[in-house]
């Protein structure tokens, strides 16, 4: 049972490049989400999904796309990278989503630098 | 939108001193969760509080949920080096709203 996995661990992009951050979970969780964490700040929700085929925007969705074709996978796409997207990205999953009181399991994070 | 204010941003303590972080909301919360993030790591779930006035303990950690379900606190007694990290509250209503975190720093 690997939990939540994320790839890559580190990535450097040039402005304007696109890329996909991968996230997978093997716990059969319905709810998955993407956060970004900037230095000294909390977690800001980018996008979330309550199940396969269903996604919605969070607090800071601009510049990012998601899809959820399977229960296990929830990739995050950066359409045209900008320096403001330099951050640490965390994927999380839980069996139930808010407002249920359900533990969020986090992946190890992807540290992205945009030059 | 709904916000959760968490204070202080940093707390420097001598090893063995106590540590407290507070979360406050202007609206009533369904529940609140607490997470710990070690330096360079990812957030790890500690506990969740659901009932008004609830108090839960985990060894040296005490978690409280206010009577009005608008505030919560985490208190660590006699801090140890293993307690170093950032402690986040996360309030669950329509979405999970995160506090900015309190960083626990042990003075050398």
């Amino acid at each position: 049972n690997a939990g939540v996995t994320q790839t890559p661990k580190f990535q450097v992009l040039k402005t304007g490049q696109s890329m996909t951050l991968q996230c997978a979970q093997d716990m059969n969780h319905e709810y998955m989400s993407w956060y970004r964490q900037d230095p000294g700040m909390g977690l800001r929700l980018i996008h979330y999904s309550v199940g396969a085929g269903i996604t919605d925007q969070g607090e800071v969705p601009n510049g990012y796309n998601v899809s959820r074709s399977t229960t296990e996978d929830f990739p995050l796409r950066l359409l045209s990278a900008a320096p403001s997207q330099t951050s640490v990205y965390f994927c999380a999953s839980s069996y139930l989503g808010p407002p249920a009181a359900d533990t969020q399991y986090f992946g190890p994070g992807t540290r992205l630098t945009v030059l | 939108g709904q916000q959760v204010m968490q204070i202080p941003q940093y707390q420097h303590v001598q090893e063995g001193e106590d540590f407290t972080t507070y979360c406050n909301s202007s609206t009533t919360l369904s529940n609140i969760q607490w997470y710990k993030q070690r330096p360079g790591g990812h957030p790890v779930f500690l506990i969740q509080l659901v009932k008004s006035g609830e108090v839960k303990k985990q060894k040296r950690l005490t978690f409280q949920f206010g009577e009005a379900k608008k505030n919560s606190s985490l208190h660590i007694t006699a801090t140890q080096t293993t307690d170093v990290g950032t402690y986040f509250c996360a309030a669950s209503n329509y979405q999970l709203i995160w506090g900015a975190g309190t960083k626990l720093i042990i003075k050398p």
Side-chain angles (χ1 to χ4, degrees):
Chain A
N1 193 340
V4 180
T5 58
Q6 289 184 240
T7 56
K9 284 187 166 49
F10 300 93
Q11 183 70 50
V12 179
L13 293 177
K14 294 181 180 178
T15 297
Q17 288 185 315
S18 62
M19 79 159 295
T20 299
L21 278 62
Q22 300 293 342
C23 174
Q25 52 90 11
D26 61 0
M27 297 175 282
N28 202 31
H29 285 169
E30 292 294 329
Y31 184 84
M32 296 186 73
S33 53
W34 275 101
Y35 292 92
R36 61 177 289 172
Q37 184 176 37
D38 300 301
M41 296 183 67
L43 296 162
R44 291 187 291 170
L45 182 65
I46 304 171
H47 286 284
Y48 65 96
S49 168
V50 298
I54 306 170
T55 63
D56 206 347
Q57 297 180 350
E59 181 187 356
V60 288
N62 292 341
Y64 308 94
N65 273 356
V66 292
S67 60
R68 184 101 179 266
S69 56
T70 66
T71 299
E72 294 78 20
D73 300 298
F74 191 42
L76 176 73
R77 281 183 291 278
L78 277 70
L79 308 173
S80 177
S84 61
Q85 293 179 304
T86 293
S87 189
V88 180
Y89 291 84
F90 288 104
C91 178
S93 75
S94 60
Y95 187 66
L96 300 173
D102 201 11
T103 303
Q104 298 292 310
Y105 294 88
F106 283 82
T110 294
R111 283 150 181 81
L112 175 68
T113 301
V114 183
L115 303 175
Chain B
Q2 181 182 12
Q3 286 189 329
V4 172
M5 303 303 295
Q6 187 173 358
I7 55 170
Q9 188 176 2
Y10 301 94
Q11 192 167 356
H12 295 76
V13 300
Q14 297 277 5
E15 189 173 3
E17 291 182 337
D18 293 354
F19 163 88
T20 306
T21 174
Y22 301 90
C23 279
N24 296 290
S25 169
S26 57
T27 60
T28 302
L29 304 170
S30 300
N31 55 74
I32 196 159
Q33 301 174 2
W34 286 92
Y35 291 78
K36 177 183 178 181
Q37 184 178 24
R38 293 183 186 274
H42 59 275
V44 175
F45 175 80
L46 293 175
I47 209 161
Q48 64 191 16
L49 305 170
V50 179
K51 298 177 184 176
S52 168
E54 190 168 14
V55 178
K56 288 188 177 182
K57 292 189 177 184
Q58 289 179 350
K59 297 183 181 178
R60 295 177 294 103
L61 279 61
T62 301
F63 304 85
Q64 292 188 314
F65 202 8
E67 292 290 341
K69 300 182 74 173
K70 290 184 177 182
N71 56 75
S72 182
S73 65
L74 157 60
H75 180 82
I76 302 177
T77 303
T79 54
Q80 300 175 357
T81 54
T82 53
D83 296 325
V84 163
T86 302
Y87 293 83
F88 292 97
C89 62
S92 182
N93 271 354
Y94 176 68
Q95 274 300 343
L96 202 58
I97 307 298
W98 293 77
T102 297
K103 192 171 185 178
L104 169 58
I105 300 165
I106 304 280
K107 297 177 188 176

